[in-house]
Amino acid sequence: MKRRTLPTLPTANLGLLERLYKYGVVWIVLFIIFFMVHSNGNYLFRTVSSLGFVGMAYLLVVFTNKVLIELLLKRNRVVLFILLSILVLPVWAAAFSAIDSVLVHFIAERPFEEIFSFPSLFVIFMVRLVWFITIYALVLIFYYQRKENEEKVISDQLKSEKLDMELRYLKSQINPHFLFNALNNIYSMVYTHDDNAADGVLKLSEMLRYVLVDCQAEMIPLSKEIKYVENFIDFHMMRMAGQRDVVFEQDVEKEDFMIAPMLLQPIIENCFKYSRLETHPEGFVHIGIYQKGNVFRFEAVNTIAPNVVTNIGNGVGEKKSGIGQINVQQRLMLHYGEDYRFDIQQDNGIYKVKIEI
């Protein structure tokens, strides 16, 4: 159901009105307007009457804010708020009409019989009533606009906090998963007395520094993500004997192009996990990172066993939720909204992933 709102003022104008009210400019302007439109030609009477009107208007604003809004409207006493509003406005108009009539008698020297005649007094009352209704309505519009702005600020803060929590959660999923696999690789190299074990520990320390330090920022330079990918590929290649068809292509215009950290890691990890590089002579992994202008593009192509079923939500061949495409897609959505493309294709033992931001 669509929520119905009162007419609104821009936030900048709202702040300006608050400052004008605080420093009394509003009352000076109100005095000038009432003085200019006053029907009586006696300047002394118009001055005193205008001062009286400003005083009554100020009291109405205070009463509306402190009593009608603070004590009734904010406490959801809507019926009492409406009834008291209906009562207050005519009382205010009648009181000021009476004051104006007395001022006319003593300053403009008009007889009471003429002043308090029904047509004359009724016209004065109705004019004052319209003035006070207008002021009352402006106070309410001002209140609802300020309330809506405050609610929007709170809502934006909550959305921002929720977004930050979701992103932290998604990144926290990646870190233990990456560390677990990396330590397994190190263990395998040490256990088999692989000469690359020492270099593997060095690569792992560089990757851990990236994961635990650099990735704490919301966005990082693309050069750091590329360096991580290079280390990740080298780390996996260390325990594979012989030549392997692994290609990492990069064509980057601006190395300081900002990107969400660890965005590509789950995809690259799946490339090596399911490409059968160690067991299949035709297995391959081809990875490309391209950036030009404001566009970033990532492509990953790898072989995959024909009987492996792709589960786009949970990573290749995984039957339960975990690290994989679901993590990447959620982070893309949280960071970039609708300004991205995420395409996955599987055909004849070839698996392709494309990301464009």
Side-chain angles (χ1 to χ4, degrees):
M1 184 174 67
K2 189 176 180 180
R3 190 175 66 172
R4 187 168 174 263
T5 59
L6 289 173
T8 59
L9 295 168
T11 304
N13 292 342
L14 194 65
L16 177 61
L17 285 175
E18 286 180 335
R19 290 193 295 272
L20 293 176
Y21 176 82
K22 179 180 178 181
Y23 295 112
V25 177
V26 170
W27 306 117
I28 294 173
V29 172
L30 194 61
F31 170 85
I32 294 172
I33 292 173
F34 192 83
F35 181 88
M36 296 298 294
V37 301
H38 210 297
S39 58
N40 196 294
N42 188 306
Y43 285 101
L44 177 59
F45 169 72
R46 288 168 67 179
T47 302
V48 176
S49 178
S50 298
L51 288 172
F53 169 72
V54 171
M56 291 293 291
Y58 176 78
L59 291 176
L60 178 62
V61 170
V62 171
F63 183 83
T64 303
N65 280 317
K66 301 296 184 182
V67 178
L68 296 180
I69 293 176
E70 293 290 337
L71 298 181
L72 300 180
L73 190 59
K74 286 187 177 181
R75 299 183 182 183
N76 293 322
R77 299 176 180 176
V78 180
V79 175
L80 187 57
F81 167 80
I82 294 173
L83 292 175
L84 196 56
S85 298
I86 293 173
L87 176 65
V88 163
L89 293 172
V91 168
W92 237 260
F96 185 55
S97 298
I99 293 171
D100 242 11
S101 299
V102 172
L103 291 175
V104 169
H105 173 73
F106 286 105
I107 297 176
E109 297 180 350
R110 290 177 59 187
F112 278 120
E113 294 80 7
E114 180 182 341
I115 298 170
F116 286 103
S117 63
F118 174 75
S120 176
L121 191 61
F122 180 74
V123 170
I124 293 173
F125 170 80
M126 290 304 297
V127 170
R128 281 16 175 202
L129 181 61
V130 170
W131 274 98
F132 289 129
I133 288 174
T134 302
I135 293 171
Y136 172 81
L138 289 174
V139 172
L140 282 185
I141 292 173
F142 187 82
Y143 162 73
Y144 277 109
Q145 179 60 45
R146 183 170 54 190
K147 180 182 177 183
E148 187 172 324
N149 288 341
E150 290 172 353
E151 289 175 351
K152 185 178 184 302
V153 169
I154 294 172
S155 175
D156 290 344
Q157 288 176 345
L158 290 175
K159 288 179 181 177
S160 178
E161 290 173 3
K162 181 182 177 183
L163 174 64
D164 185 60
M165 288 178 64
E166 289 178 0
L167 288 172
R168 287 179 184 274
Y169 170 71
L170 291 171
K171 284 197 289 187
S172 72
Q173 283 185 317
I174 295 174
N175 295 354
H177 189 79
F178 151 76
L179 186 58
F180 177 78
N181 289 339
L183 289 174
N184 272 345
N185 289 340
I186 292 291
Y187 172 78
S188 297
M189 285 189 284
V190 172
Y191 184 77
T192 58
H193 303 287
D194 192 323
D195 293 337
N196 291 319
D199 288 337
V201 173
L202 182 61
K203 292 287 183 183
L204 177 59
S205 68
E206 290 179 357
M207 287 190 288
L208 281 175
R209 187 183 301 111
Y210 172 79
V211 171
L212 299 177
V213 178
D214 295 332
C215 288
Q216 298 306 309
E218 183 178 353
M219 306 291 280
I220 59 166
L222 181 56
S223 58
K224 290 187 176 182
E225 183 80 358
I226 290 175
K227 181 62 177 175
Y228 170 82
V229 173
E230 290 175 340
N231 283 333
F232 188 91
I233 293 173
D234 291 343
F235 182 79
H236 277 268
M237 294 298 294
M238 282 179 182
R239 61 189 184 91
M240 297 182 189
Q243 294 294 321
R244 295 288 187 262
D245 187 2
V246 176
V247 177
F248 178 35
E249 186 180 47
Q250 48 184 298
D251 184 7
V252 175
E253 186 179 74
K254 295 187 298 183
E255 291 190 348
D256 59 349
F257 183 85
M258 304 304 286
I259 187 175
M262 292 288 283
L263 188 65
L264 312 177
Q265 192 269 345
I267 298 173
I268 297 173
E269 184 173 338
N270 278 344
C271 287
F272 281 89
K273 185 176 181 180
Y274 296 101
S275 61
R276 302 180 296 160
L277 282 173
E278 295 182 70
T279 60
H280 198 283
E282 296 181 358
F284 68 84
V285 172
H286 295 170
I287 297 168
I289 293 179
Y290 313 97
Q291 180 275 319
K292 187 174 182 180
N294 294 324
V295 178
F296 167 82
R297 186 164 51 90
F298 168 80
E299 295 180 1
V301 184
N302 61 277
T303 49
I304 189 171
N307 60 342
V308 173
V309 178
T310 302
N311 186 339
I312 292 177
N314 304 318
V316 183
E318 294 180 351
K319 294 182 180 180
K320 59 181 181 178
S321 296
I323 303 304
Q325 277 84 349
I326 185 67
N327 188 294
V328 174
Q329 192 156 18
Q330 285 179 339
R331 293 181 67 206
L332 282 168
M333 181 179 63
L334 291 171
H335 275 290
Y336 302 104
E338 297 181 357
D339 297 330
Y340 75 92
R341 289 181 60 192
F342 184 43
D343 298 323
I344 299 174
Q345 296 178 4
Q346 181 179 348
D347 186 34
N348 295 326
I350 305 297
Y351 190 73
K352 300 179 181 179
V353 178
K354 291 184 180 180
I355 296 174
E356 186 171 307
I357 301 170

